[in-house]
């Protein structure tokens, strides 16, 4: 069974759409394997997004993702990485398809509600970072 790390980012928590996002995950047939509400420290945030360390938006991204509580989840199921990325929609919410989380609930690229691992390799790395005991 494949696993992926999902984050409902601080904008999703602030806007009270945690239940909506989890409901979509469950309706799809994916299963929750772990879930925690927490506020990230800057070091964890920088490690999580290390592939973007050289991008101009990195500092702002770290500030945003540490700016309030988020919900971290481990989601599992058949092709869970790809299945959740499909539910999330494109990175830029303006072009994300309606019917996706980003397409339905967001307008700005940084505040795009959810994170989902982009490969099984990233998923294992990110799950270890958020849930070392899992
Ligand atoms: P994704 O979250 O779809 O995997 P990503 O890994 O390319 O997208 O980028 C990580 C996050 O960084 C993304 O969810 C929002 C933010 N981001 C990406 N591109 C950006 C940009 N051009 N300006 C500001 N923030 C950006
Ligand atoms: Mg990514």
């Amino acid at each position: 069974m494949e696993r992926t790390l999902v984050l409902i980012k601080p904008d999703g928590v602030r806007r009270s759409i945690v239940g909506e996002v989890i409901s979509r995950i469950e309706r799809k047939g994916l299963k929750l394997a772990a879930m925690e509400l927490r506020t990230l420290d800057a070091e964890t945030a920088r490690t999580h997004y290390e592939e973007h360390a050289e991008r101009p938006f990195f500092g702002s991204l770290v500030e945003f993702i540490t700016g309030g509580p988020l919900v971290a989840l481990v989601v599992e199921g058949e092709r869970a990485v790809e299945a959740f990325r499909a539910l999330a929609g494109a990175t830029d919410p303006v072009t994300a398809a309606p019917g996706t989380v980003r397409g339905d609930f967001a307008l700005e690229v940084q505040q795009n509600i959810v994170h989902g691992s982009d490969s099984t390799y990233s998923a294992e790395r990110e799950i270890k970072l958020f849930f070392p005991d899992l």
Side-chain angles (χ1 to χ4, degrees):
M1 204 48 93
E2 194 170 293
R3 302 193 302 177
T4 188
L5 182 86
V6 171
L7 300 177
I8 305 172
K9 300 181 189 180
D11 54 333
V13 174
R14 208 173 293 127
R15 291 175 53 194
S16 305
I17 53 175
V18 171
E20 169 73 35
V21 173
I22 292 173
S23 174
R24 288 174 181 224
I25 291 168
E26 293 185 319
R27 274 154 49 195
K28 184 67 179 173
L30 295 163
K31 299 292 181 197
L32 308 185
M35 176 161 78
E36 188 188 17
L37 182 77
R38 63 186 276 192
T39 302
L40 290 194
D41 58 82
E43 194 191 332
T44 304
R46 281 196 289 264
T47 304
H48 174 67
Y49 279 127
E50 66 188 10
E51 65 180 291
H52 299 304
E54 305 305 321
R55 308 282 285 275
F57 59 80
F58 185 66
S60 164
L61 179 61
V62 169
E63 202 167 301
F64 163 68
I65 204 78
T66 59
L70 56 69
V71 177
L73 307 115
V74 177
V75 169
E76 65 184 19
E78 187 72 28
R79 295 164 68 197
V81 167
E82 199 183 346
F84 181 75
R85 296 278 293 191
L87 289 180
T91 303
D92 176 359
V94 170
T95 57
T100 65
V101 172
R102 289 163 170 176
D104 288 351
F105 295 106
L107 203 53
E108 287 171 39
V109 65
Q110 182 172 265
Q111 286 154 247
N112 62 6
I113 315 285
V114 286
H115 165 84
S117 309
D118 64 8
S119 66
T120 54
Y121 179 83
S122 303
E124 288 313 309
R125 184 185 76 83
E126 294 170 3
I127 289 168
K128 246 190 221 102
L129 179 66
F130 280 82
F131 298 98
D133 300 330
L134 207 65

